[in-house]
Structures are given as structure tokens and as C-alpha cells.
Amino acid sequence: MKVGRQATVRLLDSMVLEGIARKDELTKRYRLSLKTYEWGSRAVAPYLPPFYLRQELANLAREVRHPVFYCILDASDVVTLERTDGLGDGSVTVPNSGRVARTYWSQSPWGKALVAFAPPEAREALLAQSKSADEVHELTAELESIRRQGYAEHQTTVADVVERRGQL
């Protein structure tokens, strides 16, 4: 669908009136306002880790001297929400914004770890989306291995699964 210049300007001006966008009067360029950041923050808040889990992620990052990523399953995709880096005796946790943060679950060690420890019905539903019986068999074996080990590996990346009250 092609949208004309006039329609685009009307839409952008409406967004400015609602506080969703800002217009620089000198350059006549538009940009999103911080209202969109507020909406995004509210949308992601229920998925962020609780304080005690953030402490554990920080401890792990310091111990392994490697960044630790907090990821969740969103349907069949894995979304990386935060990154925690250990810095000497401290740590810093930042949102994973500005990076590729979404991937299909079977394409990352994080996704495989999350699916391996997901409830059986969720695991089966995701496996049913596989392209072939061979792929299902291969992924099932890999997920069982991950469950036995307690983590997933891919080259030098390790995705640890931290369980909260027996659930992910």
C-alpha cells in the first residue's frame, strides 16, 4: 500500500497533536516522542525479572566474567530483554534495545533452553511447527540433553536456565 505525501504529513501532524511525535520546526523533521518509550516500558514491565532474579543474574555475570542475557518466549520467538555485565565487584544491567533481540526459538541456545524447560504441552506445540519428522526427532533429543545438563550450549555461548518456584 502506497501512502501519499499529504496523507503522511496529516498522519504525522495528528501524532504531534496527540504527543506521540515531535516536529523540529527548523528542519521540519519528525521524531517519536518519549510517550512511545513510556508505552514500551509499560508493555515490557510484566516480563522483566523480579529483583531477586536480577541479583542472581548479576552474581552469575560476575562469576563467569561474561554477559548474561535475560530472555523470554513470545509465542515461537525468543526475545532478549536485558543484558547484565559483571564489572569487578559490581554489575550493570541494561535493556537489550537497539540490537537484534528476537529470533525463532530453535535458532538460539536461549530458545532451546527455554523450550526444554517449558511445560510439556508448550514444548510439544512448538515442536509441532517443525518442518519434518527428522527435525522433530533431532530437536527432541537436543531438548532432552539440555534438560539433563541444565543448560544449552552453542559454540562458546551458554544459556543457563534459572527456575523460579519450579517454573520458568
Side-chain angles (χ1 to χ4, degrees):
M1 179 173 109
K2 197 170 187 177
V3 179
R5 179 168 163 53
Q6 281 185 325
T8 302
V9 170
R10 279 195 309 272
L11 178 61
L12 288 168
D13 286 341
S14 295
M15 292 171 68
V16 169
L17 285 174
E18 293 298 322
I20 300 168
R22 302 272 184 247
K23 182 178 181 181
D24 184 315
E25 291 303 325
L26 290 174
T27 65
K28 304 295 186 202
R29 291 188 175 199
Y30 295 86
R31 63 180 170 82
L32 293 174
S33 73
L34 289 178
K35 189 177 247 187
T36 56
Y37 176 81
E38 180 184 337
W39 290 343
S41 296
R42 285 184 191 169
V44 77
Y47 303 101
L48 294 175
F51 178 76
Y52 68 88
L53 184 54
R54 277 200 171 122
Q55 289 295 98
E56 291 301 319
L57 294 172
N59 292 341
L60 179 61
R62 284 191 303 274
E63 182 180 323
V64 299
R65 296 180 186 174
H66 197 273
V68 175
F69 297 88
Y70 179 76
C71 308
I72 62 167
L73 271 176
D74 182 27
S76 59
D77 289 338
V78 176
V79 180
T80 305
L81 297 179
E82 294 182 337
R83 172 187 171 137
T84 300
D85 289 288
L87 302 171
D89 291 338
S91 64
V92 63
T93 298
V94 295
N96 199 51
S97 59
R99 300 176 189 91
V100 175
R102 179 179 287 272
T103 187
Y104 189 70
W105 75 268
S106 66
Q107 302 301 309
S108 74
W110 299 278
K112 290 176 184 175
L114 288 169
V115 172
F117 289 93
E121 57 277 359
R123 189 168 49 249
E124 293 304 319
L126 289 167
L127 284 168
Q129 297 173 11
S130 298
K131 296 176 185 159
S132 69
D134 288 341
E135 186 180 29
V136 170
H137 180 72
E138 183 180 309
L139 284 169
T140 301
E142 190 172 359
L143 295 176
E144 287 306 313
S145 174
I146 291 167
R147 285 180 63 80
R148 280 192 306 275
Q149 292 178 145
Y151 59 90
E153 292 181 82
H154 177 62
Q155 296 169 355
T156 60
T157 304
V158 177
D160 284 298
V161 175
V162 179
E163 290 189 39
R164 178 174 38 144
R165 289 181 238 135
Q167 297 178 327
L168 287 176

